[in-house]
Amino acid sequence: MTRNGVPIQITELLDLNEHEGFLPLTYDSKKSGFYLGHLDYDEIDTDYPEMALSDVEVSAVYSLGFGGNFMECASVFHSASTLISDFGARAFDTESLSFLDGKDLLANATKCLELAQEQ
């Protein structure tokens, strides 16, 4: 399946509502993945009041993370851009304490992919 111009395939059949931990996938024909977690809205509201999600209906809050591998970084940002474009999700970056749009996410993914090629 190609999303946002990059082939991303989840390599295991998983229920994302139940799965937590490393989510393996193939990204641009290379093995990669990222860490998937589920967060409680109250926890988010307390830890990141900048999100101010009380004005929207929240059905689920997922945490996407990566280690030091830049392919994982690219996987996270491309996957988040797909969640935004295909499912109307919102992406909040805990580093900048701001929401990112699809364009921001793809720019970050491109930078991570460039860094991965240098590794």
Side-chain angles (χ1 to χ4, degrees), residues 11-22:
T11 55
E12 294 180 20
L13 184 58
L14 301 168
D15 180 351
L16 296 182
N17 290 319
E18 299 294 325
H19 180 80
E20 288 202 63
F22 192 76

Side-chain angles (χ1 to χ4, degrees), residues 6 39 47-48 53 111:
V6 174
L39 302 175
D47 293 346
Y48 300 104
L53 291 175
K111 183 63 178 172

Side-chain angles (χ1 to χ4, degrees), residues 26-110:
T26 302
Y27 179 93
D28 199 23
S29 302
K30 296 171 184 70
K31 289 185 180 185
S32 188
F34 56 85
Y35 295 90
L36 176 69
H38 302 265
L39 302 175
D40 179 277
Y41 178 74
D42 292 334
E43 177 184 21
I44 293 294
D45 195 37
T46 300
D47 293 346
Y48 300 104
E50 299 85 357
M51 287 182 74
L53 291 175
S54 59
D55 63 331
V56 296
E57 183 179 329
V58 177
S59 58
V61 179
Y62 295 102
S63 170
L64 309 181
F66 59 94
N69 182 307
F70 288 113
M71 285 301 291
E72 289 179 15
C73 173
S75 298
V76 163
F77 284 112
H78 268 286
S79 297
S81 72
T82 299
L83 291 170
I84 285 177
S85 66
D86 290 6
F87 302 103
R90 296 176 72 187
F92 184 78
D93 178 32
T94 58
E95 295 292 321
S96 67
L97 299 177
S98 63
F99 285 95
L100 302 177
D101 62 19
K103 192 175 186 179
D104 295 328
L105 293 167
L106 290 176
N108 286 342
T110 299

